[in-house]
Amino acid sequence: MNKTIAVIRGDGIGPEIVGETLRVLDAVGERFGHTFTYRDAPMGGNAIDAFGVPLPPESLETCLKADSVLLGAVGGPKWDSQPAENRPERGLLQLRAAMGLYTNIRPARMFPQLADACPLRPEIAEKGIDFVVVRELIGGVYFGEHRTETAEGQQKSVDIMAYTEQEIRRVAHVAFGMAQKRRKRVTSIDKANVLATSRLWRRVVTEVAEAYPDVELLHMYVDNAAMQIVRDPGQFDVIVTENLFGDILSDEASQITGSIGMIPSSSMGEGSRGLYEPIHGSAPDIAGQDRANPIGTILAAAMMLRYSLDMAAEADAVEAAVQQVLSDGLRCGDIMQPGCRLAGCREMGAQICSRIAKK
Ligand code: NAD
């Protein structure tokens, strides 16, 4: 197969971690007989410096024409004094809107080799953590009306949480489709005992479930879910939830698996094209020092192979190679453990490539 990938290297450690990830994709291409064509799409602080705006129209066009988009990270102190409408992060918001990305997918997966970094008790961690949070991304209270008014001598603020059936239905389909490729269980999280939006959420998700008879559906209140994620994370396969609950639960889920440098994320809209990135930022404190952990971005590329490019065996090969380097005792600084060997960003990338090349 021949696939075109728009590449946003971004700022800070972005170019380093993306560079290693492209090497990994090339190793996949070589082993499985695919050609990946990379098209650079400048975005973020570097684009402000070169073009005066965080997302130049040419970059957006490159992303919209590509089969998928890979992003390092954008931002840094150099651009902190930019006006709000011209900050690096604004480019990311513009890109998400233009690509119509309404779902964010964040795996919470603990590598057994890093179990020591898990903040949960060993008897919980040793059961394993491997679930995915599917979050609605462009609806709910973050996108509702926000206002502050003065009433009876004091200020009053209102944030409106609204959902339509269609907004719920499309994200539910993403979650059920994903569960079919995994352990076939969806836990839908809401607050249906209190919120009207949650009662609609529950009804629509239940209707969508009828189209996926092979997938089990459970409902859970969000306060209980926050407890269950730390008490018994092994019970979850795919979590689907609205924007605000998903924002909070996906951070909780990331935290229990260990380092920020290990976790990928993807945002999807209609069709198969997505935006794939690590969950961390541009880490300006370690940029240009060959100290960044590229694994979060490499695992984001594995998600791209699996969910956008329909290359499941290739995604498996990347994830197996990551597991193998960890088993072999190689660690970047952020996940360093006693008895392991420290690797820089370049070496980590090269070692993962060499394990993909091996059949
Ligand atoms: P950060 O995630 O960049 O860094 C937090 C800490 O984690 C730092 O100590 C950093 O060195 C470390 N770290 C992060 N990624 C790492 C990796 N791959 N390997 C090793 N260590 C890693 O968060 P921050 O410092 O709050 O933000 C820095 C800049 O990134 C800001 O300008 C922020 O706006 C931006 N940001 C961008 C995105 C994005 O592009 N999606 C997301 C979050 C933050």
Side-chain angles (χ1 to χ4, degrees), residues 13 17 71-77 80 89 92 260-261 277-286 291-294 334:
I13 60 170
I17 54 179
L71 164 66
V74 296
D80 278 352
E89 297 80 1
L92 190 51
I260 190 175
E277 56 184 312
I279 66 161
H280 57 74
S282 59
D285 53 331
I286 57 167
R291 288 169 60 198
N293 184 351
D334 60 321

Side-chain angles (χ1 to χ4, degrees), residues 238-262:
V238 174
I239 284 176
V240 63
T241 192
E242 63 88 48
N243 201 347
L244 168 67
F245 299 160
D247 190 8
I248 298 166
L249 294 180
S250 61
D251 267 12
E252 184 191 11
S254 302
Q255 185 55 39
I256 61 172
T257 60
S259 168
I260 190 175
M262 297 287 298

Side-chain angles (χ1 to χ4, degrees), residues 106-171:
R106 211 196 263 193
R109 179 176 180 195
M110 190 187 65
F111 291 93
Q113 299 88 341
L114 301 181
D116 287 352
C118 175
L120 303 182
R121 286 205 310 270
E123 64 270 27
I124 297 175
E126 73 195 13
K127 283 196 228 159
I129 301 170
D130 181 9
F131 64 94
V132 179
V133 179
V134 176
R135 165 188 168 196
E136 200 288 326
L137 200 57
I138 55 174
V141 70
Y142 292 175
F143 287 81
E145 186 191 338
H146 310 287
R147 64 171 193 274
T148 297
E149 60 204 17
T150 302
E152 294 168 11
Q154 61 175 334
Q155 287 209 315
K156 174 185 167 188
S157 295
V158 177
D159 299 291
I160 292 180
M161 179 188 268
Y163 267 106
T164 65
E165 291 178 278
Q166 170 57 13
E167 285 171 325
I168 301 167
R169 192 172 294 118
R170 63 189 184 182
V171 71

Side-chain angles (χ1 to χ4, degrees), residues 31-348:
R31 173 164 156 194
F32 291 89
H34 305 305
T35 305
F36 298 111
T37 304
Y38 308 119
R39 301 247 185 272
D40 267 302
M43 187 181 93
N46 63 90
I48 294 172
D49 290 349
F51 306 100
V53 288
L55 180 63
E58 297 75 20
S59 293
L60 177 57
E61 200 184 323
T62 301
C63 293
L64 293 175
K65 280 188 181 161
D67 291 304
S68 216
V69 183
L70 180 71
L71 164 66
V74 296
K78 182 178 176 193
W79 302 282
D80 278 352
S81 55
Q82 288 281 332
E85 67 281 3
N86 209 38
R87 288 179 62 108
E89 297 80 1
R90 184 54 68 100
L92 190 51
L93 296 179
Q94 288 168 348
L95 181 63
R96 283 184 183 150
M99 289 178 70
L101 304 174
Y102 56 78
T103 310
N104 181 256
I105 299 161
R106 211 196 263 193
R109 179 176 180 195
M110 190 187 65
F111 291 93
Q113 299 88 341
L114 301 181
D116 287 352
C118 175
L120 303 182
R121 286 205 310 270
E123 64 270 27
I124 297 175
E126 73 195 13
K127 283 196 228 159
I129 301 170
D130 181 9
F131 64 94
V132 179
V133 179
V134 176
R135 165 188 168 196
E136 200 288 326
L137 200 57
I138 55 174
V141 70
Y142 292 175
F143 287 81
E145 186 191 338
H146 310 287
R147 64 171 193 274
T148 297
E149 60 204 17
T150 302
E152 294 168 11
Q154 61 175 334
Q155 287 209 315
K156 174 185 167 188
S157 295
V158 177
D159 299 291
I160 292 180
M161 179 188 268
Y163 267 106
T164 65
E165 291 178 278
Q166 170 57 13
E167 285 171 325
I168 301 167
R169 192 172 294 118
R170 63 189 184 182
V171 71
H173 278 293
V174 174
F176 282 101
M178 183 153 295
Q180 282 185 319
K181 295 182 184 170
R182 294 177 45 95
R183 300 194 306 277
K184 300 187 171 49
R185 167 186 272 222
V186 168
T187 308
S188 173
I189 291 173
D190 61 39
K191 190 71 182 167
N193 48 346
V194 179
L195 300 176
T197 46
S198 281
R199 284 193 282 277
L200 183 68
W201 181 276
R202 194 173 277 221
R203 175 172 71 70
V204 173
V205 171
T206 305
E207 284 167 15
V208 170
E210 287 170 18
Y212 301 86
D214 54 331
V215 178
E216 180 189 12
L217 170 65
L218 298 114
H219 299 280
M220 191 178 279
Y221 294 136
V222 62
D223 40 352
N224 185 24
M227 285 194 297
Q228 295 297 332
I229 285 174
V230 290
R231 200 187 68 82
D232 179 18
Q235 70 185 284
F236 296 110
D237 177 22
V238 174
I239 284 176
V240 63
T241 192
E242 63 88 48
N243 201 347
L244 168 67
F245 299 160
D247 190 8
I248 298 166
L249 294 180
S250 61
D251 267 12
E252 184 191 11
S254 302
Q255 185 55 39
I256 61 172
T257 60
S259 168
I260 190 175
M262 297 287 298
I263 303 168
S265 143
S266 80
S267 301
M268 309 283 294
E270 295 301 337
S272 59
R273 190 182 49 218
L275 172 68
Y276 294 85
E277 56 184 312
I279 66 161
H280 57 74
S282 59
D285 53 331
I286 57 167
Q289 301 168 32
D290 194 31
R291 288 169 60 198
N293 184 351
I295 293 179
T297 320
I298 290 169
L299 291 175
M303 288 182 81
M304 174 191 291
L305 293 169
R306 190 180 304 283
Y307 298 122
S308 282
L309 307 183
D310 209 15
M311 297 183 183
E314 291 82 341
D316 288 345
V318 174
E319 289 170 0
V322 169
Q323 293 255 22
Q324 193 57 54
V325 291
L326 296 176
S327 295
D328 293 346
L330 214 64
R331 300 284 187 275
C332 285
D334 60 321
I335 52 170
M336 187 58 188
Q337 292 169 297
C340 292
R341 189 166 72 75
L342 185 65
C345 185
R346 285 194 67 88
E347 189 190 357
M348 184 55 87

